[in-house]
Amino acid sequence: MTGNKEVPEKKYPPEVSYSAVTKGIVGTSLVSSAFHHLMAILLITGLITDLFGPWVGQWISSTQLFAQGYVGAQLNNLAGVLFILVFMIYLAYRGIYAQMKTAIGVTLFVDLFFYIAMVAVGLFAHGFVGALFILVFVIYIVKISVFNKERMVFTVTNYIDFLLYFILIITGMTLSSLSKPWVDLFPWLFDVLSPIAFYGPAIHILITYVWIVFSAVFPGGIIHGIASAYLISHLKKKSNAEKSRMR
Amino acid sequence: MKPEKFLDNFGRSETLWMYACARCGECIDVCPVYEKTADKFTAPGFKIKKMRGLITKKLAPFTGSANKEDVKKIVKGLYDCTLCGRCWSVCPYNYDLVALWETARESAFETGFGLDAHKEMLEAVKSENNIFKRPHARRKDWTKGLDMPVKEKADTIYFVGCLMSYRGQLKPAAQAMAKIMNAAGENWTILKDEVCCGVPLKFSGGTKDLEELMDANIKTIESTGARKIVFSCPGCLRMFRQEYSTVLGKRVRLMHGTELIDDYIQSGRIKLKGKLSERMTYHDPCELSRLSGIIEEPRRIFANLTSGFVELPGNKFNVICCGGGGLYKAADLDNSLGVAGKRIDQAEEIKAAGLMTACPSCYMTLSQTARTKKSNVKVVDYAEVVAEQLE
């Protein structure tokens, strides 16, 4: 217990903005901040990979879940190859016009950038961010176990969330992304987790959607995130409106 | 009692904040009441968790409805709070927790969970316009023997407040303010018919008669044509800044006594005798420093007042509450004084002979605790010290 914690001076009544909240969260706890931000990135990149996966040649996607492992993977691969072919033709088509009109050239560049970004997200970001998340998750759990203050405010939902994260980590670590830093680093991990190799991707995706539904119904991740984002933007607008009225 | 109606007054923002809370627990670490009681229902984050549970019951199907015993525990936690704002100061979301506790207390009061002591206090305010149920006609008794006519028109109003007007121990502090303003040649007056500012109503949650009180004060203030109101009580000051200012507007400057005296010293309107050599320290009132941002003004006064000024640990914006705020004394006197005990101990540790404060509520709590603990530290109001040192 430290009643004497020093914090920088701020104004009351408080003003709320994204930058103030980000500074506050980072200043309060780097681990908690890293945990929450990485989780948000993983959710977004995971959904992009899953929902747009077939178009960018990514082999992990919900379709695989429904088509059971290998068949689904082949379907996705086929979809990916077809997409790339179609996209190449599209690029060539747009390229001719680009020589004629600069605006189209800009559009082409944006399209290309978007495509590369999607591939980067699908192939690399999710896997590497996930690998980093594992480290942060372990530190976060240790921290919670040591300090009672955080346990005191956690609900049952939070503990179920942790269980779901654990399943996502195990299935995601070796199988659910094209980039697998942990397996590359420790090849024996692949053997250890090989019993779930076939269903790993399917479980990973299924649990992701279970978590989304779960934390949307009970007060947890999604509600917490959406409520925060909404309130900060709402209060920021309110504060700006008040400032302009005072001027 | 209507437990199912508790927190019905929560709007969109309050409801969403319940879910937005990051559950980091920072507020729990710094809460002076939780530190003293170790009762988890006094811990800010835990209260939010419990209130979020009630909100979920209102919103989600198949979750049941609020139980009377649960609500009672939460409400007890809400009143076992000094409203010092320390939880807000460390909240990474910068969430206005002080306003949240006040809104929740309002709901507690409306649904029949308010404290009996608070209900009695509100009855007193209703019948005698002060929290002590002392005759309204005696509000100006502290002016007896002073050369201080109540004027129809003046530049400055001294809003005395209930504590300074009625508490014998504090009357010298009010008289000291009068002496200082006279010495500065201020054209000032007290209100012909001052009534409670309403902050105790806000703190208790019983805000039904608040507007009536505010209207009475506003009418009297406007009739004087004053452009400046000075307060000794930081609670009254914050009440005016947050509630009255919407009616009074920017034309009336609302300031604390420390700001006024600092102005007087800086502009040379008052001169002080040589500096005191006693080792003196200062307890920042939460309402004044953290919640009103008045931190350096009192220190500039002390720099002119004493050569033996030393800072109390846990000061300025990060001040540790004296335990007397938010009507906590009415909810749990022993623990309230227990919180104050920490401040007296800290003053003893730094070997201070005098502990100055600039809030009547802090003064009452700290001096009562110092007496109980038989401490050598003398609790004094800063205005009295200034008045004694006037040339």
Side-chain angles (χ1 to χ4, degrees), chain A residues 4-5 28 149 154 224 230, chain B residues 12 20 26 49 86 320:
Chain A
N4 288 341
K5 184 180 176 178
T28 302
K149 63 170 188 178
F154 278 156
H224 163 59
Y230 172 79
Chain B
R12 189 171 53 181
E26 289 298 305
K49 173 186 168 175
R86 189 75 171 113
I320 302 167

Side-chain angles (χ1 to χ4, degrees), chain B residues 7-58:
Chain B
L7 302 186
D8 267 5
N9 66 338
F10 272 25
R12 189 171 53 181
S13 288
E14 286 88 0
T15 303
L16 284 169
W17 271 118
M18 296 292 100
Y19 296 106
C21 169
R23 280 155 281 174
C24 61
E26 289 298 305
C27 49
I28 295 172
D29 262 357
V30 296
C31 175
V33 178
Y34 177 65
E35 186 181 14
K36 180 69 199 157
T37 62
D39 172 5
K40 61 185 178 182
F41 277 90
T42 64
F46 190 78
K47 280 186 270 195
I48 289 180
K49 173 186 168 175
K50 288 292 168 190
M51 291 202 288
R52 187 173 55 224
L54 293 184
I55 294 284
T56 306
K57 282 183 177 179
K58 286 178 195 290

Side-chain angles (χ1 to χ4, degrees), chain B residues 87-199:
Chain B
C87 46
W88 156 72
S89 75
V90 297
C91 177
Y93 277 71
N94 205 14
Y95 178 31
D96 189 352
L97 286 161
V98 179
L100 178 80
W101 308 135
E102 286 171 356
T103 312
R105 281 183 180 199
E106 207 174 304
S107 181
F109 202 90
E110 278 168 12
T111 50
F113 288 91
L115 300 185
D116 289 341
H118 291 172
K119 285 175 194 163
E120 282 168 26
M121 187 190 69
L122 297 193
E123 280 304 312
V125 172
K126 207 172 177 184
S127 61
E128 294 296 342
N129 294 321
N130 69 78
I131 54 175
F132 303 112
K133 213 171 186 175
R134 301 282 298 279
H136 179 61
R138 298 187 63 183
R139 195 173 182 101
K140 290 195 279 275
D141 274 7
W142 66 273
T143 62
K144 275 181 188 164
L146 290 177
D147 174 25
M148 206 185 66
V150 179
K151 299 174 189 167
E152 292 289 333
K153 298 276 174 194
D155 298 336
T156 302
I157 292 167
Y158 175 36
F159 192 93
V160 191
C162 296
L163 277 163
M164 302 288 258
S165 299
Y166 289 103
R167 282 290 181 233
Q169 282 173 283
L170 284 161
K171 283 180 186 175
Q175 288 161 351
M177 270 306 291
K179 194 177 165 190
I180 295 164
M181 285 192 282
N182 283 339
E186 185 81 51
N187 174 21
W188 70 283
T189 182
I190 55 170
L191 288 177
K192 202 159 53 176
D193 196 21
E194 180 187 296
V195 299
C196 171
C197 71
V199 78

Side-chain angles (χ1 to χ4, degrees), chain A residues 1-16 20-21 24-25 28-29 32 36 140 148-155 158 219-221 223-224 227-228 230-232 234-235 238 246, chain B residues 12-13 16-17 19-26 28-30 34-35 40 43 45-46 49 52 56 86 88-96 98-99 238 242 250 290-291 295 314 317-318 320 342 346:
Chain A
M1 185 71 60
T2 57
N4 288 341
K5 184 180 176 178
E6 299 270 325
V7 289
E9 202 178 314
K10 52 186 180 179
K11 199 173 166 265
Y12 185 87
E15 285 174 9
V16 180
V21 171
I25 296 170
T28 302
S29 168
S32 172
H36 283 92
Y140 190 59
N148 179 48
K149 63 170 188 178
E150 278 173 275
R151 283 204 305 279
M152 193 194 288
V153 283
F154 278 156
T155 57
N158 296 118
I223 288 186
H224 163 59
S228 310
Y230 172 79
L231 274 170
I232 295 163
H234 169 73
L235 293 175
K238 205 173 141 193
M246 282 171 83
Chain B
R12 189 171 53 181
S13 288
L16 284 169
W17 271 118
Y19 296 106
C21 169
R23 280 155 281 174
C24 61
E26 289 298 305
I28 295 172
D29 262 357
V30 296
Y34 177 65
E35 186 181 14
K40 61 185 178 182
F46 190 78
K49 173 186 168 175
R52 187 173 55 224
T56 306
R86 189 75 171 113
W88 156 72
S89 75
V90 297
C91 177
Y93 277 71
N94 205 14
Y95 178 31
D96 189 352
V98 179
R238 190 163 74 87
Q242 285 192 355
K250 282 183 176 174
R290 188 158 37 239
L291 302 179
I295 292 172
F317 183 77
N318 294 294
I320 302 167
K342 183 175 176 178
Q346 286 173 325

